[in-house]
């Protein structure tokens, strides 16, 4: 079986050293993998192995996550995460790509798309919400922790501990024994590093800014109709299946597949999901010679 050679690199972007994983032929269609909370690019290791011989797969860590390094005075907000990812894309010279949006990857990726629609060949949306109906009661409770709300920081700090991190992986799964402990163990390792919980608290306190932008992102989808593959773990405690179905109101031609699993759907259903992604990329992204012929 052929496996890709995966390089592990840093890119200097706007004062940050952005860590990223990259595999695949340089001339191949690019898939930009935007990770979720509380993880980092390591959540895509198996997907990179599955796709990284045929496609150029790029998976960065955001500031405050994984191996990326930022100055002590970095201001954590979703605007800043997107700004750094914008600089990352420009530093690597990625002119066209399909974006894989998972969880926090939704707010980051939709901000990128709104600013640079010319970059986006298509979207793969996996448990990345952009609709009010896609917010569970638990999600609304967490989002209610905003600046000025009594005990907001302490409420958020409680969800940054190992039992909650583990539950995000195992919750809603059909076969918990298929879920490797490596994911939540590594996530918690990074969460426990100096300053990382403060960074996550700042982002959680800012999450309401994403909900405010939902109507703008929905309008972008209606206006641009990007080719879209929607993959969803229907037992997600934060973003239930209603969030997946809501996209079809704005993207009637989108391809939708739901799975009997939880938030981290790739952990349990990678064998079913990877072929769907490959087929979507093959029919969505023009070959390099076709793209050069376009005006």
């Amino acid at each position: 079986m052929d496996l890709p050679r995966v390089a592990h690199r840093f890119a200097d972007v706007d004062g940050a050293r952005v860590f990223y994983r990259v595999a695949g032929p340089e001339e191949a269609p690019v898939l930009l993998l935007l990770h979720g909370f509380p993880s980092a690019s390591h959540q895509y290791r198996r997907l990179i192995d599955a796709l990284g011989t045929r496609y150029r797969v790029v998976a960065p860590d955001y500031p405050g996550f994984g191996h990326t390094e930022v100055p002590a005075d970095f201001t954590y907000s979703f605007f800043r995460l997107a700004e750094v990812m914008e600089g990352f894309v420009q530093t690597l010279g990625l002119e066209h790509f399909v974006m894989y949006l998972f969880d926090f990857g939704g707010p980051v990726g939709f901000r990128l798309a709104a600013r640079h629609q010319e970059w986006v060949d298509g979207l793969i949306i996996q448990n990345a919400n952009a609709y009010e109906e896609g917010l569970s009661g638990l999600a609304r409770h967490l989002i209610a922790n905003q600046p000025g709300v009594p005990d907001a920081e302490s409420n958020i700090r409680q969800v940054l501990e190992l039992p909650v991190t583990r539950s995000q992986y195992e919750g809603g799964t059909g076969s918990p024994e298929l879920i490797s402990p490596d994911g939540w163990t590594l996530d918690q390792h990074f969460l426990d590093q100096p300053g990382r919980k403060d960074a996550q608290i700042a982002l959680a306190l800012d999450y309401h800014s994403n909900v405010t932008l939902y109507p703008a992102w929905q309008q972008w989808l209606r206006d641009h109709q990007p080719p879209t593959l929607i993959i969803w773990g229907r037992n997600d405690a934060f973003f239930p299946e209603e969030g997946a179905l809501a996209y079809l109101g704005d993207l009637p031609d989108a391809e939708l597949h739901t799975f009997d699993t939880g938030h981290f759907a790739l952990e349990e259903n990678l064998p079913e999901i990877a072929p769907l992604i490959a087929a979507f990329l093959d029919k969505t992204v023009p070959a390099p010679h076709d793209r050069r012929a376009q005006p």
Side-chain angles (χ1 to χ4, degrees), residues 10-166:
F10 285 91
D12 293 323
V13 180
D14 193 19
R17 292 189 74 229
V18 176
F19 174 84
Y20 66 102
R21 305 165 196 265
V22 59
E26 291 190 6
E27 69 278 6
V30 176
L31 176 62
L32 179 63
L33 301 172
L34 298 178
H35 67 79
F37 166 85
S39 199
S41 61
H42 61 260
Q43 75 167 84
Y44 290 120
R45 285 176 296 179
R46 293 172 63 220
L47 185 63
I48 292 171
D49 283 344
L51 300 177
T53 59
R54 297 173 57 189
Y55 312 101
R56 187 69 169 171
V57 185
V58 182
D61 292 350
Y62 311 140
F65 295 81
H67 297 286
T68 287
E69 304 168 3
V70 295
D73 62 351
F74 187 88
T75 300
Y76 290 95
S77 68
F78 283 91
F79 172 82
R80 283 293 285 136
L81 296 191
E83 195 171 50
V84 172
M85 288 298 101
E86 178 184 33
F88 171 77
V89 168
Q90 293 168 329
T91 298
L92 267 61
L94 306 179
E95 297 179 352
H96 294 272
F97 46 82
V98 170
M99 283 197 296
Y100 190 111
L101 311 182
F102 167 67
D103 189 60
F104 274 21
V108 173
F110 280 124
R111 282 174 168 83
L112 287 182
R115 295 180 66 165
H116 294 282
Q117 66 188 52
E118 72 279 6
W119 288 352
V120 182
D121 286 332
L123 300 175
I124 300 171
I125 300 173
Q126 191 246 297
N127 293 76
N129 187 56
Y131 295 86
E132 288 273 359
E133 52 264 55
L135 296 172
S136 70
L138 175 59
R140 293 177 188 276
H141 176 73
L142 290 173
I143 295 168
N145 291 295
Q146 300 178 20
V149 173
D151 300 320
E153 291 192 16
S154 60
N155 292 339
I156 295 166
R157 194 173 294 275
Q158 294 175 26
V159 307
L160 303 177
E161 302 301 329
L162 181 59
V164 179
T165 302
R166 177 172 180 171

Side-chain angles (χ1 to χ4, degrees), residues 217-280:
W217 298 342
Q218 294 160 17
Q219 188 65 53
W220 185 90
L221 294 171
R222 288 193 294 271
D223 289 344
H224 298 287
Q225 295 295 307
T228 302
L229 170 65
I230 303 168
I231 299 162
W232 213 270
R234 67 175 70 99
N235 305 324
D236 190 332
F238 299 97
F239 304 136
E241 187 176 8
E242 288 81 359
L245 298 173
Y247 279 103
L248 299 180
D250 293 323
L251 297 171
D253 295 329
E255 180 182 347
L256 171 64
H257 301 269
T258 62
F259 295 87
D260 189 23
T261 191
H263 188 60
F264 283 89
L266 289 176
E267 294 293 312
E268 186 172 15
N269 291 104
L270 180 83
E272 296 83 15
I273 292 173
L276 294 173
I277 295 173
F280 175 77

